[in-house]
Amino acid sequence: MSLQERIDQTIRNVPDFPKPGIQFKDITPILEDPKLSEEVVAAFAQFWKGKVDAIAGVESRGFLFGFPLAMQLNVPFILIRKKGKLPYQTVSYKYDLEYGSAEIEMHVGAVKDGMNVLIHDDLLATGGTAGAAAELIKKEGGKVAGFSFLVELEFLKGADKLSSYSDVVQRIVSY
Ligand SMILES: O=P(O)(O)OC[C@H]1O[C@H](OP(=O)(O)OP(=O)(O)O)[C@H](O)[C@@H]1O
Ligand SMILES: Nc1ncnc2[nH]cnc12
């Protein structure tokens, strides 16, 4: 079975979470399988090796594979968190979600001038979060190298929203 098929069989679909009408893609069963998790990180690493100076991961599920990926590629990992969680001076950006709205922040100084940054998250839905992350990277003088996601909800057309930042969008499985 391919990696895509095994991921598809492992993800749990939870209807009506967190709101009626949303089918939630629960990736936690992948984390319970260390071998599969390792293969996921390897698939990301193979795609991005030698192409990025840093990885920015989006809270919270973007930390799960983003940090091991950064260690594997031997590049810095930058945290993008929900408002009010980061202790030092921050830059912030407001955006809309598939189910609500949010504001994300990043530490000032984490992105160095001209840094080529990969934006990583577990899932691409409307693209609001990843687009907001791209705005933060640009605000801080970085370049968006591209985006990587474990899961894309293709019907929500999030990749269209990201095309103004980069055409390089890696997704391991799409629905
Ligand atoms: O493409 P979008 O429509 O912006 O949606 C995708 C975002 O939504 C989810 O995060 P969530 O806000 O549920 O937070 P969590 O990772 O902390 O659970 C997911 O992990 C992405 O970050
Ligand atoms: N349908 C969904 N499943 C899991 N995470 C999400 N983030 C936004 N939409 C989601």
Side-chain angles (χ1 to χ4, degrees), residues 13-164:
N13 292 302
V14 182
D16 301 322
F17 182 87
K19 288 186 177 171
I22 300 287
Q23 172 164 225
F24 196 87
K25 298 283 180 195
D26 177 16
I27 65 157
T28 62
I30 296 175
L31 306 174
E32 292 167 15
D33 182 339
K35 172 78 173 62
L36 185 57
S37 297
E38 202 180 304
E39 286 183 64
V40 167
V41 175
F44 285 130
Q46 192 183 15
F47 192 98
W48 293 101
K49 196 172 169 50
K51 295 184 183 146
V52 295
D53 300 322
I55 296 172
V58 186
E59 178 178 359
S60 60
R61 286 172 277 148
F63 297 167
L64 299 170
F65 298 111
F67 186 46
L69 174 62
M71 286 193 287
Q72 189 139 329
L73 297 184
N74 196 28
V75 296
F77 183 71
I78 299 166
L79 277 72
I80 294 184
R81 297 206 65 180
K82 295 184 175 133
K83 192 178 169 58
K85 301 280 187 177
L86 288 170
Y88 182 58
Q89 202 185 330
T90 59
V91 273
S92 69
Y93 195 84
K94 257 198 189 125
Y95 65 102
D96 294 322
L97 277 176
E98 188 188 4
Y99 40 76
S101 82
E103 188 167 352
I104 53 171
E105 294 183 328
M106 182 176 72
H107 273 150
V108 166
V111 172
K112 316 292 178 221
D113 232 23
M115 224 181 199
N116 214 21
V117 183
L118 163 64
I119 293 166
H120 170 80
D121 207 343
D122 69 316
L123 183 139
L124 173 63
T126 64
T129 307
E135 291 288 343
L136 287 181
I137 301 303
K138 285 177 58 179
K139 226 172 173 173
E140 287 298 281
K143 289 185 288 193
V144 178
F147 300 87
S148 70
F149 305 94
L150 177 60
V151 179
E152 173 190 34
L153 303 181
E154 208 178 344
F155 62 94
L156 290 173
K157 306 272 177 235
D160 292 354
K161 202 176 274 182
L162 304 182
S163 61
S164 59

